[in-house]
Amino acid sequence: MAFRLRTAVTDGLRLTFSRNGAVFVGCNAVAQFVSLMLLAVAVSQQLPVSSGIGAAPLADVPATQPLPTAATGVTVGLTTVFSAIVTTPITIITIRTFVDGATDRILERHLYGQLGRATARGLVASLVFGVVIFIGFLCAFLLPVALGIGVMIGVGQIGFLPDWIGVAGMVLIGAIGFIGVVAAALLLYIHLMFVLHEISVRNRSVITSLRGSWGLVRGHRLRLGVLSVGVIGVQSAINSIATPNQLSDPTTAEALRTSVSQLVFLPVGVVLTAFVTTLSAAIVARAYAELTTVDVVGGHPRDIDTGDDQLDRQAGVDTDGTDVDTEPAP
C-alpha cells in the first residue's frame, strides 16, 4: 500500500475535531487528571509522629513526617500501574475507531471486540516496548561515554601524542556514537510503533504483533521517521509546558495539591495534553490504515477504508467500489 504522510495528517486532524475525537479528548483528560491527582496524593502523604501516650506535642518536633523513600516508590509504582490499566482500554478503543475512520459514533465492535484480551496483550506489549526504548536511550548515553574514555586512555598510553588529541578524540567519538545510537533507537521505535495497532485491530498476540509492525514499515521508514519525530516532538513540548513533570518530588506534589492557582491551571493543561495525545493517536492510526488493508477490526471481519479516496468520503460516494463506509449515509 502507498503511504501518504499528508493524507494521514489531514485525516488525523479531521478525526480529532469530530464528535468521536471530542469524546476521546475528554476520556484522556479525565484519565490523566485522575492519574496526576493520585500521584500527587501518593507522594505527599505524611505519617503521624507519636510523642508518647498522653504527652503534649513538642514544639521542635513536627507532627508528621514524609513517607519513607521505599514506600513512596511503591505508591508511585502502584499509581502508574493503575493508570496504565485505565488508559490502555481507552487507547485500544481510540485506535479501533480512528483506524475505522468513524467520526460520529463509537461502534459496538470497537467497544466489546475482545477488549479484555486486547488490553492484557497491550499492557504486556507496552511493558516490552518501554523496556526496549529505555535500554536504547540508556545505551545512547553509556556507549559514547565508554568509547570516548577508551580513546582517551589509548591515546594516553602513547607517550609522544599530546593530551589534547585524546580529549578531542573522546569528544568526537562520543558525539558520533551518541548520534548513531539515537538514530538506532529511533529506527527501533519506528519498527515497533504499530504493535498496539496490530493487537487492537487484528487481535494478534504480542509476538505476532511485533513481527507485523516490523514488516509494515518496510519501504516507508523515511516518511514514518518524519512522522515519529514530529509526533514525539509535539507531545514532549506540550507535556513539558502543560503538565507538571516533578510530581515525584513530595514538595512539588504538596504545592500542587494546596495551591489554588496550580489546581485551576492544571485542568487546562491536562485538556491541552489530552488533545495532543488524541491528535497523535489519530494521525498514527490513519498512517496504519494507509499502510495496510485491514479486514478485521476488533475481531470482526470487514473491509476498511484505507484513506485512498478522501474525496469519496467527503462526498459520500464510492466511485471505485473499493471502500466500505463505516457509518450509514444520511
Side-chain angles (χ1 to χ4, degrees), residues 63-155:
T64 60
Q65 63 180 2
L67 288 174
T69 303
T72 301
V74 171
T75 55
V76 171
L78 291 176
T79 303
T80 303
V81 171
F82 172 79
S83 301
I85 294 174
V86 171
T87 57
T88 299
I90 297 175
T91 304
I92 290 173
I93 297 171
T94 302
I95 290 173
R96 291 175 174 178
T97 303
F98 286 159
V99 169
D100 231 355
T103 57
D104 295 331
R105 59 192 177 92
I106 302 174
L107 303 181
E108 183 177 347
R109 60 173 170 266
H110 301 156
L111 291 170
Y112 305 112
Q114 303 183 32
L115 183 60
R117 181 182 298 178
T119 300
R121 291 173 175 173
L123 290 171
V124 174
S126 298
L127 178 61
V128 173
F129 185 80
V131 170
V132 170
I133 296 300
F134 173 78
I135 293 175
F137 280 100
L138 186 63
C139 292
F141 290 95
L142 296 182
L143 290 181
V145 172
L147 289 174
I149 293 176
V151 169
M152 192 171 182
I153 293 175
V155 171

Side-chain angles (χ1 to χ4, degrees), residues 65-317:
Q65 63 180 2
L67 288 174
T69 303
T72 301
V74 171
T75 55
V76 171
L78 291 176
T79 303
T80 303
V81 171
F82 172 79
S83 301
I85 294 174
V86 171
T87 57
T88 299
I90 297 175
T91 304
I92 290 173
I93 297 171
T94 302
I95 290 173
R96 291 175 174 178
T97 303
F98 286 159
V99 169
D100 231 355
T103 57
D104 295 331
R105 59 192 177 92
I106 302 174
L107 303 181
E108 183 177 347
R109 60 173 170 266
H110 301 156
L111 291 170
Y112 305 112
Q114 303 183 32
L115 183 60
R117 181 182 298 178
T119 300
R121 291 173 175 173
L123 290 171
V124 174
S126 298
L127 178 61
V128 173
F129 185 80
V131 170
V132 170
I133 296 300
F134 173 78
I135 293 175
F137 280 100
L138 186 63
C139 292
F141 290 95
L142 296 182
L143 290 181
V145 172
L147 289 174
I149 293 176
V151 169
M152 192 171 182
I153 293 175
V155 171
Q157 298 298 321
I158 304 175
F160 61 86
L161 292 178
D163 294 339
W164 66 267
I165 293 181
V167 175
M170 174 180 175
V171 173
L172 180 61
I173 292 181
I176 295 175
F178 176 78
I179 294 173
V181 175
V182 169
L186 178 61
L187 189 62
L188 182 61
Y189 174 86
I190 294 170
H191 279 86
L192 300 181
M193 66 185 299
F194 295 123
V195 171
L196 191 56
H197 295 73
E198 291 283 281
I199 292 173
S200 304
V201 176
R202 291 176 168 173
N203 284 316
R204 289 180 167 179
S205 65
V206 175
I207 300 299
T208 306
S209 297
L210 289 169
R211 295 173 180 171
S213 178
W214 196 277
L216 276 177
V217 304
R218 292 176 180 172
H220 309 284
R221 294 182 181 89
L222 181 59
R223 291 189 179 92
L224 289 175
V226 173
L227 177 64
S228 299
V229 170
V231 168
I232 294 173
V234 172
Q235 281 190 310
S236 299
I238 296 299
N239 288 341
S240 63
I241 296 172
T243 56
N245 56 4
Q246 295 179 340
L247 283 180
S248 57
D249 180 14
T251 303
T252 304
E254 182 66 23
L256 173 66
R257 198 176 63 162
T258 57
S259 173
V260 176
S261 61
Q262 288 283 351
L263 289 177
V264 171
F265 174 75
L266 181 61
V268 178
V270 166
V271 171
L272 180 59
T273 303
F275 172 80
V276 174
T277 300
T278 305
L279 175 61
S280 301
I283 292 174
V284 176
R286 294 314 302 166
Y288 176 80
E290 284 271 323
L291 286 170
T292 181
T293 301
V294 182
D295 58 0
V296 176
V297 174
H300 298 266
R302 63 179 303 279
D303 294 325
I304 188 170
D305 183 352
T306 61
D308 292 334
D309 302 302
Q310 186 176 7
L311 295 178
D312 291 351
R313 292 199 308 273
Q314 294 174 352
V317 177

